[in-house]
Amino acid sequence: MTLTLFDTQARETREFEPADPERVTMYVCGPTVYNHAHIGNFRAAVVFDLLFRLLRNKYGADHVVYARNITDIDDKIIAAARETGNEISAITRKFTDIYRQETAAFNVLSPTLEPHATDHIKDMIALVSRLIEKGAAYAAEGHVLFSVDAFAEYGGLAKVDQDEMVAGARVEVAPYKRNPSDFVLWKPSADDEPGWRTPDDWGIDGRGRPGWHLECSAMIKTNLGNTIDIHGGGLDLRFPHHENEVAQSCCANGTDTLARYWVHNGFLSMGSEKMSKSLGNIVLPKDLLKERHGEVLRWALLSAHYRQPLEWREALLDQTKKQLDRFYRLFLELKADDTSDPDETLEVPRSIILALENDMNTPEAFAGLHELRDIAVQLEGAARIRAIKRMRVAGQLMGFFEEDPEAWFRGVLSIETDDATRLSASDIDRLLQERARARAEKNFARADEIRDRLSSEEIIIEDGPHGATWRRK
């Protein structure tokens, strides 16, 4: 079986061949930790987690190195510190921890490496020095800028013309730029801003801090090497961020290529508009996880092909929950009836592998999971149990079916809500115990009262020979 990926730069689907199968390298742009990430940001986290799992399955877990960075120095972080009066380190630590907790709730594996920008300042300074030495960067009014004229291939990743490049680079079109497309590598820092001493031979004085594009190039070089196998991120990062990474990295390192494959995921939208903080149409995982299990959100994010746009709707989440319920009902059987060898290892069915290795075709893989379920329900006995286990192994490759099935139907959330009006699992268990005592004492009025109370909270009680169980509607 051959893994294929759509390469943004080549504009075609290519067979994936790592430079070294013993060390497959992937870098994905991570969060800027000044606030909560929105669900659109999480599409990239989930998509590249799936690719990470797929690479590990193909080459071995010890042979894949996945780096997802933390941007912990940025103008937005400085602004957040000023607005809240909190220390920058407190802000970045808080939102880094939140991001880790929330991605874990989506069954996103921890990356192999999680480089922080502030741990690589020396590497960034060294990279800027090399660019100045090679004539690819220049100092102007306290800044150091990259000269796009020094890189003839500039624009080759995004395939944009000069006018588009100027528009895309218009974070700051300053008079000191030789070319309007030139971008900042290093910027001056005010006395109340974080900064690092500028080398004397740069031709500028004082303290400064890195530009966003520079950070990723330095972290890639230090942690993964001059040229990596896969660089991933959202489609919105293709230009100018990734384009600028290519230019500065290739010029500094003397290479022709930064990444052998460029993989970008499509936008998430609310209605007809891309989800973004600037438009104010964002949905936060922290809020979604109060009402929805992380696997529901993960399934929804993967329900469309990763390169296609995806409209985020409540109806999508409702439909996703119903689909997952169908699988988890079978896992209840597995938990009750499985008497097979616990050390037995089952391979992921070929149909699922073929779908995922075809440029991560998750709609096809989901169809394969449903087909496996349809087969399982037609079987009986040991054959049925084995079929359910194969189905679960297939889903686990994609990051699903990790919850205890009883907990799933009890509505246990990946991150527990602090909603005081919602009955917790322990509250419900306590009420069921009280109901059991009332029934034993023939106090049926109290038992019915408890059932009605739970019913009003959308809790379904199922009486069986071994006592009562419950699940949320």
Side-chain angles (χ1 to χ4, degrees):
M1 290 177 280
T2 301
L3 170 62
T4 62
L5 294 170
F6 184 86
D7 181 1
T8 304
Q9 186 160 22
R11 295 296 192 274
E12 65 180 8
T13 301
R14 299 173 53 208
E15 181 177 335
F16 177 70
E17 296 181 355
D20 179 5
E22 297 295 310
R23 187 175 185 269
V24 182
T25 53
M26 179 170 71
Y27 180 90
V28 174
C29 297
T32 300
V33 284
Y34 70 100
N35 206 332
H36 293 277
H38 62 72
I39 192 65
N41 303 136
F42 271 60
R43 190 178 193 191
V46 168
V47 164
F48 290 102
D49 174 71
L50 177 62
L51 181 53
F52 183 36
R53 291 168 179 269
L54 194 57
L55 292 170
R56 285 159 58 99
N57 183 72
K58 188 173 184 66
Y59 296 99
D62 294 336
H63 301 300
V64 181
V65 184
Y66 170 28
R68 186 188 67 208
N69 78 294
I70 297 290
T71 297
D72 57 353
I73 177 65
D74 182 85
D75 290 349
K76 293 178 180 177
I77 298 173
I78 296 171
R82 287 174 176 156
E83 290 172 8
T84 62
N86 295 320
E87 294 290 333
I88 285 178
S89 59
I91 291 173
T92 58
R93 185 168 55 251
K94 172 185 175 180
F95 288 108
T96 297
D97 290 344
I98 288 173
Y99 184 78
R100 289 170 179 157
Q101 181 186 22
E102 291 177 350
T103 51
F106 283 64
N107 288 351
V108 170
L109 301 174
S110 298
T112 316
L113 304 171
E114 193 181 54
H116 286 54
T118 52
D119 292 334
H120 291 76
I121 298 297
K122 289 183 179 180
D123 303 316
M124 298 174 198
I125 290 174
L127 195 151
V128 172
S129 293
R130 283 194 296 276
L131 289 171
I132 292 174
E133 291 170 4
K134 294 185 174 186
Y138 60 94
E141 296 190 20
H143 298 74
V144 178
L145 298 107
F146 181 85
S147 174
V148 297
D149 293 332
F151 188 61
E153 293 78 18
Y154 190 74
L157 172 62
K159 303 290 193 296
V160 293
D161 61 27
Q162 186 66 25
D163 290 339
E164 289 178 291
M165 284 191 278
V166 172
R170 195 164 289 142
V171 175
E172 180 185 13
V173 179
Y176 50 77
K177 289 186 177 183
R178 297 175 183 173
N179 183 318
S181 295
D182 291 350
F183 57 89
V184 171
L185 298 167
W186 194 263
K187 64 181 70 176
S189 291
D191 292 340
D192 63 343
E193 296 174 337
W196 291 264
R197 177 67 191 175
T198 302
D200 295 335
D201 58 359
W202 283 10
I204 55 177
D205 296 323
R207 297 161 59 254
R209 61 184 188 275
W212 175 37
H213 314 304
L214 176 70
E215 295 175 0
C216 285
S217 284
M219 286 184 277
I220 289 171
K221 177 178 176 63
T222 301
N223 293 283
L224 299 178
N226 290 348
T227 301
I228 62 176
D229 290 311
I230 300 170
H231 196 314
L235 189 61
D236 55 328
L237 299 182
R238 183 182 58 177
F239 187 86
H241 183 52
H242 290 164
E243 193 74 61
N244 291 351
E245 281 186 53
V246 172
Q248 63 199 9
S249 292
C250 289
C251 283
N253 300 331
T255 57
D256 295 328
T257 305
L258 171 58
R260 301 173 65 247
Y261 297 81
W262 285 90
V263 181
H264 293 95
N265 63 274
F267 295 129
L268 210 64
S269 67
M270 293 288 289
S272 61
E273 295 183 316
K274 183 192 92 169
M275 191 180 296
S276 70
K277 290 178 180 176
S278 62
L279 293 174
N281 62 347
I282 61 173
V283 179
L284 300 181
K286 77 179 185 73
D287 297 323
L288 291 166
L289 287 166
K290 294 177 181 178
E291 300 293 337
R292 306 279 187 174
H293 194 283
E295 284 195 14
V296 172
L297 305 175
R298 181 185 180 94
W299 188 290
L301 286 171
L302 294 175
S303 60
H305 191 278
Y306 78 93
R307 289 192 283 114
Q308 300 303 314
L310 174 62
E311 184 178 354
W312 193 256
R313 299 172 291 114
E314 280 296 310
L316 172 64
L317 302 183
D318 292 339
Q319 178 186 21
T320 295
K321 174 62 164 59
K322 291 176 182 178
Q323 291 184 65
L324 282 164
D325 283 350
R326 296 175 69 195
F327 291 102
Y328 271 99
R329 286 192 187 96
L330 288 182
F331 299 146
L332 284 171
E333 294 184 32
L334 188 64
K335 184 173 183 178
D337 300 331
D338 185 15
T339 57
S340 60
D341 181 359
D343 296 326
E344 177 187 23
T345 57
L346 296 174
E347 292 186 357
V348 178
R350 180 179 175 85
S351 61
I352 304 299
I353 295 292
L354 287 173
L356 294 176
E357 292 197 345
N358 179 20
D359 192 28
M360 292 190 287
N361 190 334
T362 51
E364 184 179 336
F366 284 157
L369 287 177
H370 285 293
E371 183 177 345
L372 291 171
R373 181 191 174 279
D374 292 340
I375 292 171
V377 297
Q378 297 174 32
L379 300 174
E380 295 179 354
R384 182 182 178 98
I385 293 300
R386 182 177 176 82
I388 295 173
K389 292 181 71 173
R390 290 183 74 243
M391 180 183 69
R392 187 175 61 180
V393 167
Q396 286 174 335
L397 173 61
M398 301 176 66
F400 300 109
F401 309 157
E402 299 289 355
E403 186 61 87
D404 178 87
E406 291 183 358
W408 177 268
F409 286 109
R410 288 184 174 192
V412 175
L413 298 173
S414 307
I415 295 180
E416 281 299 324
T417 177
D418 56 3
D419 183 357
T421 66
R422 186 178 190 269
L423 285 176
S424 68
S426 59
D427 291 334
I428 298 168
D429 287 336
R430 177 180 54 77
L431 286 169
L432 279 187
Q433 290 170 6
E434 183 181 347
R435 176 176 175 266
R437 287 195 300 271
R439 295 180 73 183
E441 296 168 358
K442 301 189 184 306
N443 186 355
F444 298 115
R446 177 55 180 160
D448 290 344
E449 182 183 330
I450 293 172
R451 173 181 281 279
D452 292 343
R453 162 90 188 279
L454 292 173
S455 179
S456 70
E457 298 285 346
E458 298 192 324
I459 305 299
I460 298 172
I461 300 174
E462 296 172 338
D463 291 309
H466 304 292
T469 60
W470 63 270
R471 60 184 175 89
R472 299 185 193 273
K473 285 186 181 178

